[in-house]
Amino acid sequence: MRDAQLEAIDDLVDVERAVTRLTQRQREVLALTVAGWTQEEIGAELGVTHQVVSEHLAKARGALAGCLQNGAENRCSSQGRE
């Protein structure tokens, strides 16, 4: 049980590190997406097109993909900001 708890903590730390590597705009888009906003609504709020929102979201998802999958082999990568 303790190993599982430590692994869960490691996973949270990995996610936190990945999120800090996102740009401010990627974090904004991700937060609004999680809050249930559509890409069109986010674009209107941020003054960009929904295509730009889609690009920010795709980059954020890519940066976090390793953190969101199960298994130790899928640890967050060390990608830098784009």
Side-chain angles (χ1 to χ4, degrees):
M1 180 68 156
R2 181 154 167 71
D3 288 340
Q5 291 170 329
L6 292 175
E7 188 171 319
I9 291 169
D10 286 344
D11 290 344
L12 288 174
V13 170
D14 287 344
V15 170
E16 183 178 0
R17 286 181 185 147
V19 169
T20 61
R21 287 191 298 268
L22 298 177
T23 65
Q24 180 64 32
R25 187 61 92 180
Q26 290 167 347
R27 287 192 297 270
E28 289 173 332
V29 168
L30 188 60
L32 292 172
T33 300
V34 169
W37 291 39
T38 67
Q39 291 183 15
E40 290 79 13
E41 292 169 333
I42 295 169
E45 177 71 17
L46 300 179
V48 298
T49 67
H50 76 280
Q51 289 93 349
V52 171
V53 171
S54 180
E55 291 171 16
H56 286 306
L57 193 54
K59 288 179 181 177
R61 284 180 179 148
L64 297 173
C67 300
L68 301 176
Q69 297 174 1
N70 293 327
E73 71 278 3
N74 293 317
R75 296 299 235 206
C76 297
S77 65
S78 59
Q79 294 178 0
R81 290 184 182 196
E82 294 187 26

